[in-house]
Amino acid sequence: MLRTHTCGQLRISDVNKEVTLTGWVQRTRDKGSLLWIDLRDRYGITQLFLEEGKTDASLLKIARETGREYVLKVNGLVVERLSKNDKMPTGDVEVKVSSLEILNASKVPPFTIEDNTDGGDDLRMKYRYLDLRRNTVRENLQLRHKMAQQTRIYLDSLNFIEVETPVLIKSTPEGARDFVVPSRMNPGEFYALPQSPQTFKQLLMVSGFDRYYQIVKCFRDEDLRADRQPEFTQIDCEMAFITQEDILSTFEGLVRHLFKTVKGIDMPSVPHMSYDDAMKFYGSDKPDTRFDMKFVELNSVAQGKGFQVFDSAELVVGICAKGCAEYTRKQLDELTEFVKKPQIGAKGLVYVQCKADGTFKSSVDKFYTADDLTKWAELMNAQAGDLMLVLSGEKEKTQKGLSELRLRMGEVLGLRDKNKFSALWVIDFPLLEWNEEINRWHAMHHPFTSPKPDDMHLLDSDPGKVRANAYDMVINGTEVGGGSIRIHDRTTQQLMFSKLGFSDEEAKKQFGFLMDAFEFGAPPHGGIAFGFDRLCSLFGGSDSIRDFIAFPKNNSGRDMMIDTPSTISAEQLKELSIDVKIKH
Amino acid sequence: MLRTHTCGQLRISDVNKEVTLTGWVQRTRDKGSLLWIDLRDRYGITQLFLEEGKTDASLLKIARETGREYVLKVNGLVVERLSKNDKMPTGDVEVKVSSLEILNASKVPPFTIEDNTDGGDDLRMKYRYLDLRRNTVRENLQLRHKMAQQTRIYLDSLNFIEVETPVLIKSTPEGARDFVVPSRMNPGEFYALPQSPQTFKQLLMVSGFDRYYQIVKCFRDEDLRADRQPEFTQIDCEMAFITQEDILSTFEGLVRHLFKTVKGIDMPSVPHMSYDDAMKFYGSDKPDTRFDMKFVELNSVAQGKGFQVFDSAELVVGICAKGCAEYTRKQLDELTEFVKKPQIGAKGLVYVQCKADGTFKSSVDKFYTADDLTKWAELMNAQAGDLMLVLSGEKEKTQKGLSELRLRMGEVLGLRDKNKFSALWVIDFPLLEWNEEINRWHAMHHPFTSPKPDDMHLLDSDPGKVRANAYDMVINGTEVGGGSIRIHDRTTQQLMFSKLGFSDEEAKKQFGFLMDAFEFGAPPHGGIAFGFDRLCSLFGGSDSIRDFIAFPKNNSGRDMMIDTPSTISAEQLKELSIDVKIKH
C-alpha cells in the first residue's frame, strides 16, 4: 500500500508516529508562515501542516501548488493539535509534513465536493465520479452495501441458496415492456432482459431448491416517471413447502434484522391488515402507518339531513386532524384547493372545527345541528381543538382523495418523520383488476399468483371478488416488497391464463415450459421480491432512489456521464440483421 | 412450514418422534405386505414404510398410486431400522407412515433423477428443472453459493465495498462483440451490455471508493466454443493507492481463503513467474504446475552434429518423462502422431529412451553418440528409466507444441489430479501483441493497462518489447483471473489509444468520460477479475462451466428450456424503431 494509515485513522495515541497518508486535497489554508491542508479519503479527513522556516522551502513550494482535489502522498510525524477539533474523529492530531508527492493533479472541479454542493442535478450526473466523492453520496452507497450484506447473512442463516438466474431470457410482453437484445447467431430472433426472475425462481422450486434468493438486476422499458429507473435491483426470494404465514414471518424477520443491524432499531412485529381494511381505513393499499388518522365512514350520520352532496354520495368519509380546529380561512381554503386539484378531483371539502368551548364551526352549518355534528365527532373521536375533514362521492375515488388529504395532513402535522419507521403487511389482495383500456381482467400481482381456494368458485361468476394469496410489505406508506403464494398445477395455471385473455397457444408459447414443469412434481411454493433501491432509500431517509444508485440514469433513460444510449455502427447493425427505422 | 423436519435430518435420537416430512418419491419397493418409499428433498433421503394389515388400507392404496417424483406430505413415527444403511446419514431410522397426502403428481420424468442419469445432454437441458434435482448438479450450485459467500466475507473483512455498476451501458466495439439493446425512448440509439464493468470500477477509484468489488454478470457476443457462455459471471475488484504487490497478495489471500473455507485445503503461498519464464519453461502463459516436467533448451548440445532438422531450428527443446523409457514402438508412434496433428503441427518427435543399463535408444541414434546423449540427459536431469521427448523448429510454435505434449504426458502419467491444486501468478505480460488480421498492435490485456515505467521508452521503437503491469492467476493450467495496474493519467491513456490505432475522435467518443475523469485527481489504481463460473468448476473438479450454471445456454447461445432467443411481435419492433433484415 502507498499509505500506512487512512485519513480517518489517526488518534491521539498515534502521536509521534511517522506515517504516510494518501488522499485528496479537501481544502488549503495559507497563513503565510503556516500552511494547512485537509487531506480526504473514503475514511475521513486528516489535517496536514507545513511551517515556513521549519519545512524545506521546496516542499512548501510544491504544497502551495496543490489545488482542490489534487491527489497527494505525504509522509510526516503525527503531533498533537494545539486547537483540537472535536467534530472530526482525527481532530486531536495533525501531521507535520516531511515529504509530499503529488500523485495526480486536478482541474478545478465543476462543483464543490461538499455535503451541500453548489452543483445542479445535471452537472452532478455528468460528473458522477466527482459527485460520488461527496460524503453524503458515498454514505448512501455504503448503506446499500451494508443492506446487501446483512440481507445475505440473514437469508444464509436460514439455508437460503443464492442462485444466479439468466439475464438473456425470453420476451413475454405481459405487464411492462421488455428490453430486447437481438441475437446475432439467430437472425431475426431476440432475447429479452428479465423484468424479474419470476419463472426461474419457480422452476428452482420445482427443482427442489427449497429456499432461493438473489439480489438481482431487473429491467423495465417504461416511460420513466420521476424516480423510476430502467434497471433496478430486487431482493428476490422463493420458498417451497410453506404457507403464506411462513413467508410473512420469514421476511418480516429479514426486515427486522435489517433495521436492527443497519439502523440499530428494534422493530416491533409487523401487523397484518387486509387489503379491504387498508382501503377502508386509509384509502390506500400502502398506508403510511406512522400516524393514525384513520378514515371514519359517516354515511349513517351525515346522510338524510337534506345536504344533497352527501345524500347522493356513495361514501361520506372523514378524518380527524388533531389540534387543527383553529385553522384559518386561508388554511382551510388551501386544503380545499388541494383536494380539488385534477389529480385528486374532489368537488369540495367539508370541514368541522371542534372549538375549545365545545361548539362546532363547519362549512355545512346550515344542514347539520350541533347534535348532528356531535355524532360525527363521537364516531371520529374528535375532541375540542380538533378539525374534522370530510369528503364524499363515488367510493373508490373518495377514498383515494381522502388518502391524499390524510398524507398531506400528516406531512403538515410533522407525523411523517423520516427517522421513524412503521411497517405493515397488507394481505388478501384481489386476484384480478379490471383494465378499462383493454377491456379485460388483468392480474393485480401477476398471472402466477394463486387464488384463495375458498374464492375459486367466484372465478366465473364474480372475478373481481376473488382474493389472492398475495401480500405486500409497506413501510411508511411505501410498498417495499410484494409477493404471493404461486399456482403450482397446470390446470389452475391454464385457467388463470384463459381468464386473463391468453389463447391456449399464446400461453403455451410463452409459458409452456412452466406449465410443463408443473406436471413433474411441483411443490407448493411462494415468494416475495423487495425493491432494493427503494428499501435502501427508505433506510437512508431519502425520497429518491437515484441517491442510492452509483450510476443512475435520468428520466429519459440516459446515462449523462458515459452518454448512452448512443448510435452503433452500420457494421454492427448488419451483423445483427437489423435496420434502424426512424419515423420522421 | 408444511414439514417438521427435512428428509436429511432424522437420526437415531429422533426415534419415537411424530414427524411430518415433505419431498419427492425417489423410489418405491413393494414387497406385497410391506411398502417402502424413499422420500427425497434437498437435504437428503428418508425411508418411509407402510405395512399391510397394520396400515389403513386406503392409505396403502394411495401410497401404491404414487410414482417417481410425486410430491408427498407424510406424517409418521420415527422408528429404528432393523437393517441399517450406513451409507446414508438417515440410515439408522425409517418413518412408519400414519398419513400421506399427495401434494402433486408427476408424469414419468424423461430421464432418471440419479447421479448417473440416463438422460443425454439435450434432454437434460430442455428439462433443466429436473436435471437440477440430481444431487451432483445441486451440489455444484451449492458449491457456487458457498464460493460467492466466502468471497464476500473475505473482501468485506478488508473493507471492500460491493457497488452495483450499470448493465445498460455504451457500446465500445473493442475486443469481443457487444450485445446491444435498442432504446425505445431514444430511437436509433442503443445501449450495450457490459463485457466487464472495467471503466465503471476505474471511475469508482477516481471517486475515492478505494476498494471495490462486485460479483457481476458480464456479456460477450462471441461465436461460442465449447464451454463459453454469452453471459458469465466475474468477481470484479479494484483497489486504489496500491502497488502491484498489494494486489497480488490481497487476491492470493482471496484464493487461499476460498480453498480453506470451501475445500478445507491449506494452500501454500502462490509463486510468481514472469511471462517470459512461463513461455520458456512451459511454453504457455498458463502452465499447469501440478507437475514439473519443465522445458529444457537443447540448442547448445543438439545443434552442430549434422542433424539437419535440429541445425536449422530456431529452438530445440525437450521434456523428460519420468519412468517412460520402456514405452513401446506403438506408444511412441502415438506421441508422434499427437504432435503432428494440425492443431500442433510439429514435423516430428525425437525421443531418447534412457535404458536401465545406462545405454540410450533414440530416434536419432545415427547423428548422436552416447556421449552426446549423456549431455542431453544431464541438462534434462534424465535418469535411467526416463524418456526424453524433443521438438524443434520456430520458437513460439515449438514451445506451444511441446506445451501440448507436456500436458498430454502429464495426463497419461496421472499427474493432473483434479483433487490437487497448484496456483501461480504469471506476471510481466507484454503490453501489446501484433494482430496479423488487422495488421496493428492490440492490447494483450486491455487498453487501460499500464505499461511498466521502465519500458515506456520502447513504446515507439520496439512496442512488442514493452511489458505491462499485468498479471494472471493460473490454477492447474487454467487462467482463473487476470488484471493489471491501470493507466491513471490522460496523457498516457491517449498515447495508448493512439498506439492501438484509435483516432483522437474515436477515443474521445468512446472513452472521453474516462479521460476527463483522469483530469480531476485520479489516484493510482489497479484491479483484477476472476472468472467465477470457471473458478467454481475448478473447485468442483469439473472441466465444464455449464455444470456450475443453473440455467446455461447451449453452443448456439440458446436456452433450450425456455426456447429463447425467439421472435418478437411486429408491434414491439415498431416501438423500438427497428426492422429485422434477414439475408436470404
Side-chain angles (χ1 to χ4, degrees), chain A residues 437-581:
Chain A
E437 277 174 53
I438 52 176
N439 219 32
R440 61 176 174 80
W441 293 102
H442 191 90
M444 193 155 183
H445 188 59
H446 57 46
F448 314 107
T449 294
S450 164
K452 284 199 181 286
D454 290 351
D455 294 355
M456 280 293 281
H457 66 284
L458 297 167
L459 208 46
D460 281 316
S461 55
D462 196 354
K465 276 269 175 2
V466 178
R467 289 166 308 159
N469 285 320
Y471 33 82
D472 278 356
M473 178 170 273
V474 175
I475 301 179
N476 292 4
T478 297
E479 180 208 322
V480 296
S484 64
I485 303 299
R486 324 299 184 186
I487 295 165
H488 67 283
D489 68 284
R490 182 173 198 122
T491 313
T492 310
Q493 189 63 71
Q494 254 167 346
L495 179 66
M496 191 66 186
F497 283 133
S498 82
K499 290 287 163 208
L500 296 173
F502 282 73
S503 71
D504 281 1
E505 198 188 358
E506 283 167 348
K508 199 172 150 72
K509 189 187 170 203
Q510 287 179 31
F511 299 110
F513 61 95
L514 184 67
M515 290 190 288
D516 289 348
F518 286 169
E519 295 193 298
F520 290 101
H525 63 285
I528 194 166
F530 289 90
F532 188 55
D533 310 290
R534 172 67 59 209
L535 197 63
C536 290
S537 74
L538 189 85
F539 270 63
S542 167
D543 289 328
S544 163
I545 64 170
R546 287 214 304 188
D547 295 346
F548 294 79
I549 296 172
F551 300 102
K553 293 184 176 58
N554 73 8
N555 286 349
S556 316
R558 179 165 288 281
D559 182 322
M560 298 297 285
M561 181 184 69
I562 63 172
D563 192 23
T564 197
S566 55
T567 54
I568 60 175
S569 70
E571 195 188 342
Q572 277 177 291
L573 290 171
K574 194 177 162 196
E575 278 199 319
L576 296 170
S577 306
I578 57 171
D579 252 1
V580 166
K581 199 171 179 179

Side-chain angles (χ1 to χ4, degrees), chain A residues 1 149 189 191 246 557-558, chain B residues 1 156 189 191 246 557-558:
Chain A
M1 301 295 298
Q149 293 315 112
E189 297 189 333
Y191 301 100
D246 295 318
R558 179 165 288 281
Chain B
M1 300 295 298
D156 277 6
E189 298 190 332
Y191 301 101
D246 295 318
R558 180 165 289 281

Side-chain angles (χ1 to χ4, degrees), chain A residues 1 42-43 104 133 144 149 156 159 164 167 189-191 210 231 233 246 520-522 557-558 566, chain B residues 1 24 42-43 104 133 144 149 156 159 164 167 189-191 210 231 233 246 520 522 557-558 566:
Chain A
M1 301 295 298
R42 172 186 146 196
Y43 309 92
N104 215 341
R133 282 188 192 161
R144 186 181 177 114
Q149 293 315 112
D156 277 7
N159 266 325
E164 292 176 58
V167 176
E189 297 189 333
F190 294 78
Y191 301 100
D210 204 77
E231 53 179 297
T233 304
D246 295 318
F520 290 101
R558 179 165 288 281
S566 55
Chain B
M1 300 295 298
W24 287 263
R42 170 186 148 196
Y43 309 92
N104 215 340
R133 282 189 193 162
R144 185 180 177 115
Q149 292 316 111
D156 277 6
N159 266 326
E164 293 176 56
V167 176
E189 298 190 332
F190 294 78
Y191 301 101
D210 205 76
E231 53 179 298
T233 303
D246 295 318
F520 290 101
R558 180 165 289 281
S566 56

Side-chain angles (χ1 to χ4, degrees), chain B residues 55-63:
Chain B
T55 308
D56 189 330
S58 64
L59 190 61
L60 212 55
K61 184 165 175 290
I62 297 172

Side-chain angles (χ1 to χ4, degrees), chain A residues 147-163 209-216 234-239 246-247 249-255 257-258 261 528-530 532 535, chain B residues 42-43 145 149:
Chain A
M147 300 273 291
Q149 293 315 112
Q150 289 298 336
T151 296
R152 293 196 177 97
I153 287 169
Y154 176 82
L155 293 172
D156 277 7
S157 75
L158 296 178
N159 266 325
F160 280 78
I161 301 185
E162 190 169 24
V163 180
F209 271 70
D210 204 77
R211 295 178 168 208
Y212 144 91
Y213 81 99
Q214 192 182 188
I215 300 182
V216 61
Q234 276 185 194
I235 305 172
D236 194 53
C237 307
E238 198 81 3
M239 301 173 82
D246 295 318
I247 302 216
S249 67
T250 302
F251 293 97
E252 170 175 335
L254 170 61
V255 169
H257 174 82
L258 290 175
T261 55
I528 194 166
F530 289 90
F532 188 55
L535 197 63
Chain B
R42 170 186 148 196
Y43 309 92
H145 168 71
Q149 292 316 111

